[in-house]
Amino acid sequence: SQSSLTRHPYFKINVNAGYGIKDDSDGFFTVVSSTQPSITVLSPNGGETWQVGSTQSVRWSSSGIPSTDTLVFRLLNSAGSVVAHLAENILNDGSENIVLPTTIQAGSYKLEVNRTKVGEVTVADSSDNYFSIAAAVAPSITVTSPNGGEWWAVSSAYNITWAASGYASTDKVQL
C-alpha cells in the first residue's frame, strides 16, 4: 500500500514461484518519484515596476512540493548575486504579499523563489526577465485655491481645491 511505502523507504524483493523456487534481491533499494519537484515564478516575471517600501504580491506555482514546505524569496541583481532576502519561512501556497525594504537601491532585479529542505533536492526558479524597483516617491499636496490674494465674503460658499501625488484615492484630507 502507499502508506507502507512512505513509512519504509528501503525495500527488498522476495519472489516465490512455488515448488521451492524462490529468490530475494541481494540488497535494499529505494522507491522514488519519477517526477522532479518544480517551482515557477509567475509574478514578478519581468517588466513590472515596484516602488521601495510598497507592498507587492509574489505569485508562483509548484509541482511535487507539499504546501506545508517553506520557501525563501531572494532578490537577485543583474550579475545573479543575492542582494536581499525578501521573505523566509513562506508556506508553499502560491501567493504572498511582501513589503519591499527601504534599503533596496533602485535598479533592475529578478526574484527567486527557493525551497531548500534538508534531505531533499533544492528547487528554485527566478523571474524570466528583469523588473524594476524604483525609489520611493515622497507624497506631496499643493493647495490650488485659495492660494493667496482672494477676497472671500463671510457666509458664502467657495470651493477649496488641491493637487496631490503619492496618495491613494482612499486617503483622507483634513481641512
Side-chain angles (χ1 to χ4, degrees), residues 19 22 37 48 65-66 80 89 94 97 120 153 170:
Y19 307 104
K22 63 181 183 175
E48 300 90 343
I65 302 172
N89 297 317
N97 288 334
E120 300 278 345
T170 56

Side-chain angles (χ1 to χ4, degrees), residues 132-153:
S132 297
I133 294 182
V137 175
S140 67
I141 189 163
T142 303
V143 176
T144 55
S145 176
N147 201 23
E150 295 88 350
W151 289 81
W152 285 6

Side-chain angles (χ1 to χ4, degrees), residues 19-158:
Y19 307 104
I21 301 170
K22 63 181 183 175
D23 190 32
D24 294 333
S25 55
D26 292 336
F28 287 100
F29 65 94
T30 302
V31 176
V32 296
S33 172
S34 62
T35 60
Q36 293 295 319
S38 66
I39 294 174
T40 303
V41 174
L42 302 175
S43 176
N45 208 27
E48 300 90 343
T49 299
W50 289 1
Q51 273 191 335
V52 170
S54 65
T55 299
Q56 298 293 334
S57 177
V58 174
R59 294 185 315 106
W60 67 94
S61 64
S62 66
S63 176
I65 302 172
S67 61
T68 54
D69 280 8
T70 58
L71 307 173
V72 174
F73 297 164
R74 303 189 309 180
L75 195 61
L76 309 176
N77 64 16
S78 59
S81 299
V82 176
V83 296
H85 283 81
L86 298 179
E88 297 180 351
N89 297 317
I90 303 300
L91 287 178
N92 181 31
D93 62 6
S95 179
E96 184 73 20
N97 288 334
I98 61 167
V99 176
L100 285 177
T102 56
T103 55
I104 294 176
Q105 299 294 314
S108 295
Y109 297 94
K110 289 185 177 185
L111 181 108
E112 179 186 76
V113 176
N114 184 311
R115 193 276 318 250
T116 303
K117 185 175 180 181
V118 175
E120 300 278 345
V121 66
T122 297
V123 182
D125 186 45
S126 61
S127 308
D128 288 342
N129 294 297
Y130 291 97
F131 66 97
S132 297
I133 294 182
V137 175
S140 67
I141 189 163
T142 303
V143 176
T144 55
S145 176
N147 201 23
E150 295 88 350
W151 289 81
W152 285 6
V154 174
S155 299
S156 296
Y158 297 94

